[in-house]
Coordinates of all heavy atoms in Angstrom, one line a residue:
H98 N 0.9 -1.2 0.0 CA 0.0 0.0 0.0 C 0.9 1.2 0.0 O 1.8 1.4 0.8 CB -0.9 0.0 1.2 CG -2.0 1.0 1.1 ND1 -1.9 2.3 1.2 CD2 -3.4 0.8 0.8 CE1 -3.0 2.9 1.0 NE2 -3.9 2.0 0.8
L99 N 0.6 2.1 -0.9 CA 1.5 3.3 -1.1 C 1.5 4.3 0.1 O 2.4 5.0 0.3 CB 1.1 4.1 -2.4 CG 1.3 3.3 -3.7 CD1 0.7 4.1 -4.9 CD2 2.7 2.9 -3.9
L100 N 0.4 4.3 0.8 CA 0.3 5.3 1.9 C 0.8 4.7 3.3 O 0.8 5.5 4.2 CB -1.2 5.8 2.1 CG -1.7 6.5 0.9 CD1 -3.2 6.9 1.1 CD2 -0.9 7.8 0.6
V101 N 1.1 3.5 3.3 CA 1.7 2.9 4.6 C 3.1 3.2 4.6 O 3.9 3.0 3.7 CB 1.5 1.3 4.6 CG1 2.2 0.7 5.7 CG2 0.0 1.0 4.7
L102 N 3.5 3.8 5.8 CA 4.9 4.2 5.9 C 5.8 2.9 6.1 O 5.4 1.9 6.7 CB 5.1 5.1 7.2 CG 4.3 6.4 7.1 CD1 4.4 7.1 8.4 CD2 4.7 7.2 5.9
K103 N 7.0 3.0 5.6 CA 8.0 1.9 5.7 C 8.7 1.9 7.0 O 9.2 0.9 7.5 CB 9.1 2.1 4.6 CG 8.5 2.1 3.2 CD 7.7 0.8 2.8 CE 7.2 0.9 1.4 NZ 6.1 0.0 1.2
N104 N 8.8 3.1 7.7 CA 9.5 3.2 9.0 C 8.6 4.0 9.9 O 8.3 5.2 9.5 CB 10.9 3.8 8.8 CG 11.7 3.6 10.0 OD1 11.4 2.9 10.9 ND2 12.8 4.4 10.0
P105 N 8.2 3.5 11.0 CA 8.4 2.2 11.6 C 7.7 1.1 10.8 O 6.7 1.4 10.1 CB 7.9 2.3 13.0 CG 7.0 3.4 13.1 CD 7.4 4.3 11.9
G106 N 8.2 -0.1 10.8 CA 7.6 -1.1 10.0 C 6.3 -1.6 10.5 O 5.9 -1.4 11.6
A107 N 5.6 -2.3 9.6 CA 4.3 -3.0 9.9 C 4.5 -4.2 10.8 O 5.6 -4.7 11.0 CB 3.6 -3.4 8.6
Y108 N 3.4 -4.6 11.4 CA 3.5 -5.7 12.4 C 2.2 -6.6 12.3 O 1.1 -6.0 12.2 CB 3.6 -5.1 13.8 CG 3.5 -6.2 14.9 CD1 4.6 -7.0 15.2 CD2 2.3 -6.4 15.6 CE1 4.5 -7.9 16.2 CE2 2.3 -7.3 16.6 CZ 3.4 -8.1 16.9 OH 3.3 -9.1 17.9
V109 N 2.4 -7.9 12.3 CA 1.3 -8.8 12.5 C 1.7 -9.8 13.6 O 2.7 -10.4 13.5 CB 1.0 -9.6 11.2 CG1 -0.1 -10.6 11.4 CG2 0.6 -8.6 10.0
G110 N 0.8 -10.0 14.5 CA 1.1 -10.9 15.6 C -0.2 -11.4 16.2 O -1.3 -10.9 15.9
V111 N -0.1 -12.5 16.9 CA -1.3 -13.1 17.6 C -1.7 -12.3 18.7 O -1.0 -12.0 19.6 CB -1.0 -14.6 18.0 CG1 -2.2 -15.2 18.8 CG2 -0.6 -15.4 16.8
N112 N -3.0 -11.8 18.7 CA -3.6 -11.0 19.7 C -4.3 -11.8 20.8 O -4.3 -11.5 22.0 CB -4.5 -9.9 19.1 CG -4.9 -8.9 20.0 OD1 -4.1 -8.3 20.8 ND2 -6.2 -8.5 20.0
A113 N -5.0 -12.9 20.3 CA -5.8 -13.7 21.2 C -6.2 -15.0 20.6 O -6.1 -15.1 19.3 CB -7.1 -13.0 21.6
H114 N -6.5 -16.0 21.4 CA -7.0 -17.3 20.9 C -8.5 -17.3 21.2 O -8.8 -17.4 22.4 CB -6.3 -18.4 21.6 CG -4.8 -18.5 21.2 ND1 -4.3 -19.1 20.1 CD2 -3.7 -18.0 21.8 CE1 -3.0 -19.0 20.0 NE2 -2.6 -18.3 21.1
G115 N -9.3 -17.2 20.2 CA -10.8 -17.3 20.4 C -11.3 -18.7 20.5 O -10.5 -19.7 20.3
G116 N -12.6 -18.8 20.7 CA -13.2 -20.2 20.8 C -13.0 -21.0 19.5 O -12.8 -22.2 19.5
S117 N -13.1 -20.3 18.3 CA -12.9 -20.9 17.0 C -12.0 -20.1 16.1 O -12.2 -20.2 14.9 CB -14.3 -21.2 16.4 OG -14.9 -20.0 16.2
S118 N -11.1 -19.3 16.7 CA -10.3 -18.5 15.8 C -9.0 -18.1 16.5 O -8.8 -18.3 17.7 CB -11.0 -17.2 15.5 OG -11.2 -16.4 16.7
V119 N -8.1 -17.6 15.7 CA -6.9 -17.0 16.3 C -7.0 -15.5 15.8 O -7.0 -15.3 14.6 CB -5.6 -17.6 15.7 CG1 -4.3 -16.9 16.1 CG2 -5.5 -19.1 16.1
D120 N -7.1 -14.6 16.8 CA -7.2 -13.2 16.5 C -5.9 -12.5 16.3 O -5.0 -12.7 17.1 CB -8.0 -12.5 17.6 CG -9.4 -13.1 17.8 OD1 -9.9 -13.8 17.0 OD2 -9.9 -12.9 19.0
L121 N -5.7 -11.8 15.2 CA -4.5 -11.2 14.8 C -4.5 -9.7 15.1 O -5.5 -9.1 14.9 CB -4.1 -11.5 13.4 CG -4.0 -12.9 12.9 CD1 -3.8 -13.0 11.4 CD2 -2.9 -13.6 13.7
A122 N -3.4 -9.2 15.5 CA -3.2 -7.7 15.6 C -2.4 -7.4 14.3 O -1.3 -7.9 14.1 CB -2.4 -7.4 16.8
V123 N -3.0 -6.5 13.5 CA -2.4 -6.0 12.3 C -2.2 -4.5 12.4 O -3.1 -3.8 12.5 CB -3.3 -6.4 11.1 CG1 -2.7 -5.9 9.8 CG2 -3.6 -7.8 11.0
R124 N -0.9 -4.1 12.4 CA -0.6 -2.7 12.7 C 0.4 -2.2 11.7 O 1.3 -2.8 11.3 CB 0.0 -2.5 14.1 CG -0.9 -3.1 15.3 CD -2.1 -2.2 15.5 NE -2.8 -2.7 16.6 CZ -3.9 -3.4 16.5 NH1 -4.4 -3.7 15.4 NH2 -4.6 -3.8 17.6
C125 N 0.2 -0.9 11.3 CA 1.1 -0.2 10.5 C 1.0 1.3 10.8 O 0.1 1.7 11.5 CB 0.8 -0.5 9.0 SG -0.8 0.0 8.4
Y126 N 1.8 2.0 10.2 CA 1.8 3.5 10.4 C 1.6 4.2 9.1 O 2.0 3.7 8.0 CB 3.2 4.0 10.9 CG 3.4 3.5 12.4 CD1 4.0 2.2 12.6 CD2 3.0 4.3 13.4 CE1 4.1 1.8 13.9 CE2 3.2 3.9 14.7 CZ 3.8 2.6 15.0 OH 4.0 2.2 16.3
C127 N 0.9 5.3 9.2 CA 0.6 6.2 8.0 C 0.5 7.6 8.5 O 0.5 7.8 9.7 CB -0.6 5.8 7.3 SG -2.1 6.0 8.2
R128 N 0.5 8.6 7.6 CA 0.3 9.9 8.0 C -1.1 10.1 8.6 O -2.1 9.4 8.2 CB 0.4 10.9 6.8 CG 1.8 11.0 6.2 CD 1.9 11.9 5.0 NE 0.6 12.1 4.3 CZ 0.2 13.3 3.9 NH1 0.8 14.4 4.1 NH2 -1.0 13.4 3.3
M129 N -1.3 10.9 9.6 CA -2.6 11.1 10.2 C -3.7 11.4 9.2 O -4.8 10.9 9.3 CB -2.5 12.2 11.3 CG -3.7 12.2 12.2 SD -3.5 13.1 13.7 CE -2.9 14.7 13.2
L130 N -3.4 12.3 8.3 CA -4.4 12.6 7.3 C -4.8 11.5 6.4 O -5.9 11.5 5.8 CB -3.9 13.8 6.4 CG -3.7 15.1 7.1 CD1 -3.0 16.1 6.1 CD2 -5.1 15.7 7.5
D131 N -4.0 10.4 6.3 CA -4.3 9.3 5.5 C -4.9 8.1 6.2 O -5.3 7.1 5.7 CB -3.0 8.7 4.8 CG -2.4 9.7 3.9 OD1 -3.1 10.5 3.2 OD2 -1.2 9.7 3.7
Y132 N -5.2 8.3 7.5 CA -5.6 7.2 8.4 C -6.8 6.5 7.9 O -6.8 5.3 7.7 CB -5.8 7.7 9.8 CG -6.3 6.6 10.7 CD1 -5.4 5.7 11.3 CD2 -7.7 6.4 11.0 CE1 -5.8 4.6 12.1 CE2 -8.1 5.3 11.7 CZ -7.2 4.4 12.3 OH -7.6 3.4 13.1
W133 N -7.9 7.2 7.6 CA -9.2 6.5 7.2 C -9.1 5.9 5.9 O -9.6 4.8 5.6 CB -10.3 7.5 7.4 CG -10.7 7.7 8.8 CD1 -10.5 8.9 9.5 CD2 -11.1 6.8 9.8 NE1 -10.9 8.7 10.8 CE2 -11.3 7.4 11.0 CE3 -11.5 5.4 9.7 CZ2 -11.7 6.8 12.2 CZ3 -11.9 4.8 10.9 CH2 -12.0 5.5 12.1
T134 N -8.3 6.6 5.0 CA -8.1 6.0 3.6 C -7.4 4.7 3.7 O -7.8 3.7 3.1 CB -7.3 7.0 2.8 OG1 -8.0 8.2 2.7 CG2 -7.1 6.4 1.4
V135 N -6.3 4.6 4.5 CA -5.5 3.4 4.7 C -6.4 2.4 5.5 O -6.4 1.2 5.1 CB -4.2 3.7 5.5 CG1 -3.5 2.4 5.9 CG2 -3.3 4.6 4.6
Y136 N -7.1 2.8 6.5 CA -7.9 1.9 7.3 C -8.8 1.1 6.4 O -8.9 -0.2 6.4 CB -8.6 2.6 8.4 CG -9.5 1.8 9.2 CD1 -9.0 1.1 10.4 CD2 -10.8 1.6 8.9 CE1 -9.8 0.3 11.2 CE2 -11.7 0.8 9.7 CZ -11.2 0.2 10.8 OH -12.0 -0.6 11.6

């Protein structure tokens, strides 16, 4: 994605173990003005 900043880097990790799922935390950085577009 062109609006996601390269530094600091993006992150994907296990956030929780659900009853029938593994919930992931997906995090990246962008400019504040681009937040909703990126989201």
Side-chain angles (χ1 to χ4, degrees):
H98 196 285
L99 296 176
L100 296 177
V101 171
L102 299 176
K103 303 297 181 204
N104 192 15
Y108 173 80
V109 177
V111 175
N112 190 46
H114 295 274
S117 61
S118 67
V119 175
D120 301 341
L121 301 176
V123 181
R124 303 287 184 261
C125 63
Y126 291 86
C127 66
R128 293 179 336 135
M129 190 167 50
L130 291 174
D131 296 328
Y132 178 82
W133 289 112
T134 300
V135 171
Y136 177 87

